[in-house]
């Protein structure tokens, strides 16, 4: 089964309603040359259901004219309400990872990878000050139905895998750091995180048998995704025997793998929550074309079972998120 982003959204109502939490900026901390940690706080956030790992939320940014007033906050069908608004009333919405949650204190941290001044999220963070208002759309603990299924927004499911591979660019760094801090102490595996510069290497604690390798583009004079691609290929080639030459080419229900599909939605293909894996479990996220290439390599060329790999195009070069 392939879970698409839309599919995940469709199952949300069975686990917890997703609602807009009103927050303000409590702290801003520069973490690296291109990373800014924003601590968002609000009384409401004590009801945010923090699921950990790579949990994603939607951040809603204010419009210059009307702020956040037009965002449809009543009821759980906020998405349909938002989508149906005329463009000039639709607050920009972007997807981010909960880097840390302290719900008792009504706080979450979000790490922004800043990239110039080209999109509403990066523009917002470049100008953010303590006290600025934002909305965070996430699961409401008050409507959580325990046992009804996984909480939408968490994709990392290594289950009983022998070994774990986590790889991603700077946009996936918050998710990867959060995941490895929460893994059991005996987890074995490899982490690759590609960032712009050596000054973007962030402090993180991993299980003792996991190796964390940061790949800075500037010291390698590499373009986006190049170092990640090379590192993952080299590591996997050592770990896994290549697929038989007549292995059929896999396609996903979400996005075919051919170049003709370069304009389609970001590649997003995650296995079902069975917890059954065949040795290596891979979680890979970042710029869509790099992720698409790595998927080809892992599933088609190397022959990893598609249920052992989660691939997520977090953003597309040259395209806004929505
Ligand atoms: C599940 C999920 C979790 C994510 N978690 C995080 C997170 O924790 N931290 C984080 O920083 N990002 C995260 N992202 C990625 C983030 O949502 C995108 O980078 C988003 O496009 C940023 O919005 P924007 O308004 O700045 O730019 P947009 O308006 O979306 O895009 C404007 C332009 O900027 C380009 N662009 C977007 N992102 C980047 C980038 N990182 N580097 C270079 N160019 C870029 C686009 O291609 C486009 O040309 C996540 C994405 C997903 C799907």
């Amino acid at each position: 089964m392939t879970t698409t982003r839309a599919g995940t959204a469709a199952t949300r109502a069975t686990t917890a309603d997703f609602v807009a939490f009103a927050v303000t900026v409590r702290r801003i901390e520069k973490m690296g040359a291109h990373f800014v940690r924003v601590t968002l706080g609000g009384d409401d956030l004590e009801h945010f259901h923090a699921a950990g790992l790579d949990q994603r939320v939607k951040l809603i940014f204010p419009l210059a004219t009307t702020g956040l007033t037009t965002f449809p906050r009543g009821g759980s069908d906020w998405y349909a309400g938002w989508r149906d608004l005329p463009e000039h009333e639709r607050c920009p919405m972007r997807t981010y990872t909960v880097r840390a949650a302290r719900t008792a204190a009504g706080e979450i941290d979000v790490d922004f990878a800043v990239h110039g001044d080209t999109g509403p999220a990066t523009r917002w963070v470049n100008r953010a000050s303590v006290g600025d208002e934002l909305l965070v759309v996430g699961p409401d603990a008050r409507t959580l139905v325990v046992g009804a299924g996984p909480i939408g927004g968490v994709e990392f499911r290594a289950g009983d895998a022998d070994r774990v591979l986590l790889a991603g660019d700077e946009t996936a760094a918050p998710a990867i750091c959060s995941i490895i801090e929460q893994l059991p102490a005996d987890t074995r595996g490899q982490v690759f995180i590609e960032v712009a510069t050596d000054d973007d290497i962030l402090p993180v604690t991993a299980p003792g048998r996991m190796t964390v390798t940061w790949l800075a583009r500037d010291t390698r004079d590499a373009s986006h995704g190049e170092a990640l691609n090379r590192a993952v290929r080299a590591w996997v080639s050592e770990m896994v025997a290549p697929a038989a030459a007549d292995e059929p080419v896999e396609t996903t229900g979400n996005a075919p793998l051919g170049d003709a599909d370069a304009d389609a939605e970001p590649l997003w293909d995650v296995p079902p929550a069975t917890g059954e894996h065949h040795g290596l479990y891979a979680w890979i996220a970042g710029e869509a074309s790099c992720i698409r290439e790595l998927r080809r390599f892992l599933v088609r060329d190397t022959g990893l079972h598609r249920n052992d790999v989660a691939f997520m195009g977090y953003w597309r070069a040259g395209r806004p998120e929505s």
Side-chain angles (χ1 to χ4, degrees), residues 10 19 45 61 63 106 135 157 189 192 201 211 216 219 257 275 295 297 304:
V19 299
L45 275 184
F61 297 95
L63 290 167
L135 296 173
R157 300 184 195 112
F192 293 112
I201 297 173
T211 305
T219 51
L257 299 177
R295 185 179 194 282
F297 168 69
L304 286 193

Side-chain angles (χ1 to χ4, degrees), residues 247-264:
E247 188 81 21
V249 174
E250 292 240 26
T251 57
T252 77
N254 189 24
L257 299 177
D259 288 331
D261 193 50
D263 279 348

Side-chain angles (χ1 to χ4, degrees), residues 163-166 176 180 187-193 204 206-214 235 239:
R163 206 180 288 263
V164 170
L165 169 67
L166 288 146
I176 294 175
I180 60 182
T187 308
R188 287 192 306 159
Q190 173 68 47
V191 175
F192 293 112
I193 307 174
V204 65
R209 296 202 292 171
M210 290 201 89
T211 305
V212 181
T213 309
W214 293 81
W235 187 82
M239 289 294 151

Side-chain angles (χ1 to χ4, degrees), residues 5 35 54 56-57 61 94-98 110-115 118-123 169-172 174-175 224 268 312-322:
R5 288 165 75 178
F35 280 114
D54 55 343
R56 64 180 176 269
V57 288
F61 297 95
R94 295 291 183 269
T95 311
Y96 280 83
T97 303
V98 179
V110 176
D111 287 358
F112 289 79
V114 290
H115 55 97
T118 50
T122 210
R123 269 201 303 273
D169 66 12
E170 55 267 56
T171 63
H224 199 112
W268 191 278
M312 291 147 288
Y314 269 14
W315 61 283
R316 283 182 293 176
R319 295 287 191 88
E321 182 183 322
S322 53

